[in-house]
Amino acid sequence: MKKRVVIGVVVVALMLIGAGTAYYLGYFNQEEIKPIQSASHSEETDTSDDESTEIAIEPPPAQPLPDHYFVASAFEEVHTQPHSDSTSDGVAYYGEELKVLERAGDWIRIALSINWKKGLKRYLNG
């Protein structure tokens, strides 16, 4: 008898949890949700005038590039010159801070955080 009561309580609890989850995720009250209706072009503009007006949309101003980066992959190969066939000067490891000294196309001239005081300069392909 106790087993049946425990099983009944567990079943009721699972049903309540399921109903609460369904309510939280929005499965109930679907009739209240109105579908998105796309407005046609004729509704947006008045075609009665013969004059056409053009709206110039300007792109947003370019964001300034950061002067510090952090290595996001396990490691990045560091070169002595901004060429992929130049000699390797080591690696920059994950999380290491890189100070940008100069930009040249996809390459940035960097100073590793440990070498800022020494003034050593290296290149990293961005």
Side-chain angles (χ1 to χ4, degrees):
M1 183 70 179
K2 290 183 180 181
K3 285 185 179 180
R4 288 185 182 186
V5 171
V6 171
I7 290 174
V9 169
V10 169
V11 169
V12 169
L14 289 175
M15 290 177 65
L16 289 174
I17 290 171
T21 303
Y23 179 77
Y24 178 74
L25 294 177
Y27 291 121
F28 298 124
N29 298 328
Q30 291 292 326
E31 65 274 354
E32 293 178 8
I33 299 174
K34 296 178 183 176
I36 299 173
Q37 297 176 356
S38 62
S40 65
H41 184 67
S42 62
E43 294 174 359
E44 293 177 4
T45 59
D46 184 14
T47 57
S48 62
D49 13 319
D50 294 335
E51 297 178 22
S52 63
T53 57
E54 294 184 19
I55 300 174
I57 299 175
E58 296 180 15
Q63 297 291 328
L65 297 172
D67 59 350
H68 286 81
Y69 286 100
F70 291 90
V71 179
S73 59
F75 64 91
E76 287 290 334
E77 189 174 359
V78 178
H79 298 273
T80 56
Q81 296 294 321
H83 309 288
S84 56
D85 57 349
S86 69
T87 59
S88 176
D89 194 28
V91 293
Y93 293 103
Y94 176 81
E96 194 167 351
E97 186 176 5
L98 307 173
K99 181 178 179 181
V100 177
L101 302 175
E102 178 184 357
R103 299 179 189 279
D106 287 342
W107 291 85
I108 56 173
R109 188 176 186 186
I110 62 167
L112 299 174
S113 59
I114 59 173
N115 295 329
W116 288 354
K117 294 179 183 176
K118 296 179 186 176
L120 297 176
K121 297 164 181 66
R122 300 173 177 172
Y123 288 90
L124 183 70
N125 187 6

